[in-house]
């Protein structure tokens, strides 16, 4: 089955970290936020993992530009994202993907009660949601263009499984050091030639940041 076109977008420090551990960290420049919101408006849905919902509590809406409000997708095996999260304030158009046999049925009912759609798929070998199955469900949710915003575990999974078409990274001139969360975890590569890389790279200055875009080579 065809999957949506997937774009990863995130902001990282020059030492490759996307946030301070456990803290909401506004890394993007103002122009970076405008860019991110433009990308949201051009997408059918925005996806994040449960970690980002719990730590950042994002709305995942378009506010810095005028345009289409995308659907929102959350990956949460047990469905243990708080229903009081801002993303559920207007829960129609929100899909929560959980894992069969692990998802909490009480949570499932609570999420449906606030208006979110919930779908369960199989778990992967790494005991997280099987992404290719999740992408099938997301396609059936009416999504052709999907913007994946993070956090680190979700970004790494999409790249490791080569389920990415485009990457947009805002490189912010700040160091976060070892209390920062590395943008990438395990990518299951042992040799340099097998490392995922970008082609058709474009570079743009945005305020004091640098934006790098490219297509992920398979
Ligand atoms: N700088 C940026 O652009 C940016 C953007 C977004 C987030 N962030 C930061 O990222 C941090 C959160 O990152 P994180 O790595 O802790 O959390 P995350 O990537 O947002 O969420 C990870 C969680 O998603 C669930 N999940 C289900 N299926 C998965 C799969 N196939 N692959 C990966 N995860 C899956 C798992 O939790 P379950 O057990 O619930 O399934 C997993 O622990 C926060 O500090 C936030 O501020 C930064």
């Amino acid at each position: 089955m065809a999957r949506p076109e997937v774009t990863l977008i995130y902001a990282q420090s020059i030492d490759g970290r996307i946030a301070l551990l456990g803290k909401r960290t506004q890394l993007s420049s103002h122009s970076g936020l405008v860019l991110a919101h433009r990308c949201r408006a051009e997408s059918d849905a925005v996806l994040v993992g449960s970690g980002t919902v719990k730590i950042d509590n994002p709305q995942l809406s378009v506010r810095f530009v005028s345009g289409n409000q995308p659907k929102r997708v959350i990956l949460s095996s047990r469905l243990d994202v708080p229903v009081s999260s801002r993303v559920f304030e207007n829960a129609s158009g929100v899909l929560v993907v959980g894992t069969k046999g692990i998802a909490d049925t009480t949570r499932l009912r609570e999420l449906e009660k606030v208006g979110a759609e919930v779908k369960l798929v199989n778990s992967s070998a790494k005991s997280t949601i099987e992404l290719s199955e999740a992408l099938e469900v997301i396609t059936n949710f009416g999504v052709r263009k999907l913007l994946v915003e993070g956090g680190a575990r979700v970004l790494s999974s999409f790249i490791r499984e080569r389920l990415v078409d485009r990457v947009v990274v805002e490189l912010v001139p700040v160091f976060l050091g070892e209390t920062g969360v590395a943008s990438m975890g395990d990518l299951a590569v042992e040799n340099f030639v097998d490392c995922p890389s970008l082609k058709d790279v474009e570079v743009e200055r945005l305020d004091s940041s640098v934006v790098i875009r490219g297509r992920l080579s398979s």
Side-chain angles (χ1 to χ4, degrees):
M1 173 158 188
R3 65 163 173 82
E5 185 184 299
V6 174
T7 300
L8 258 54
I9 185 168
Y10 57 98
Q12 70 170 31
S13 63
I14 38 180
D15 56 336
R17 294 165 195 272
I18 59 167
L20 287 172
L21 186 61
K23 289 186 180 159
R24 185 166 198 263
T25 313
Q26 181 58 65
L27 268 188
S28 277
S29 61
H30 176 73
S31 301
L33 284 175
V34 172
L35 169 68
H37 281 229
R38 195 176 310 123
C39 290
R40 284 181 181 178
E42 289 167 358
S43 304
D44 299 313
V46 178
L47 179 148
V48 295
S50 60
T52 297
V53 174
K54 289 174 193 168
I55 295 169
D56 291 0
N57 195 12
Q59 294 178 61
L60 304 177
S61 59
V62 172
R63 301 183 302 282
F64 290 94
V65 297
S66 55
N68 175 51
Q69 291 294 341
K71 295 175 178 176
R72 289 143 290 155
V73 181
I74 297 157
L75 300 183
S76 176
S77 309
R78 288 181 302 275
L79 307 178
D80 64 349
V81 281
V83 285
S84 56
S85 304
R86 295 205 294 176
V87 71
F88 299 119
E89 278 167 10
N90 174 10
S92 90
V94 178
L95 170 67
V96 185
V97 183
T99 305
K100 288 176 189 165
I102 295 178
D104 181 323
T105 47
T106 308
R107 291 286 193 152
L108 193 155
R109 280 193 294 273
E110 280 173 10
L111 288 165
E112 286 182 336
K113 203 170 163 191
V114 295
E117 194 160 319
V118 181
K119 295 283 180 200
L120 303 182
V121 301
N122 288 310
S123 66
S124 68
K126 285 188 169 272
S127 302
T128 55
I129 289 165
E130 176 63 52
L131 281 188
S132 51
E133 276 194 41
L135 286 174
E136 256 187 70
V137 164
I138 292 166
T139 302
N140 291 335
F141 192 54
V143 177
R144 284 179 303 110
K145 290 181 80 175
L146 178 67
L147 188 69
V148 176
E149 294 199 2
R153 284 185 204 141
V154 164
L155 296 170
S156 309
S157 293
F158 271 88
I159 293 208
R160 186 176 58 243
E161 295 181 32
R162 304 291 204 273
L163 291 168
V164 176
D165 299 289
R166 289 187 183 76
V167 179
V168 180
V169 183
E170 181 187 359
L171 201 54
V172 184
V174 64
F175 297 92
L176 295 185
E178 66 179 11
T179 49
V181 178
S183 58
M184 289 294 139
D186 177 26
L187 296 182
V189 284
E190 288 179 6
N191 302 307
F192 186 61
V193 286
D194 300 326
C195 289
S197 61
L198 298 185
K199 57 185 177 186
D200 302 331
V201 172
E202 293 172 21
V203 179
E204 181 192 350
R205 250 324 266 280
L206 266 193
D207 299 338
S208 56
S209 297
V210 172
V211 174
I212 301 171
R213 303 163 196 260
R215 292 198 296 127
L216 197 80
S217 55
S218 44

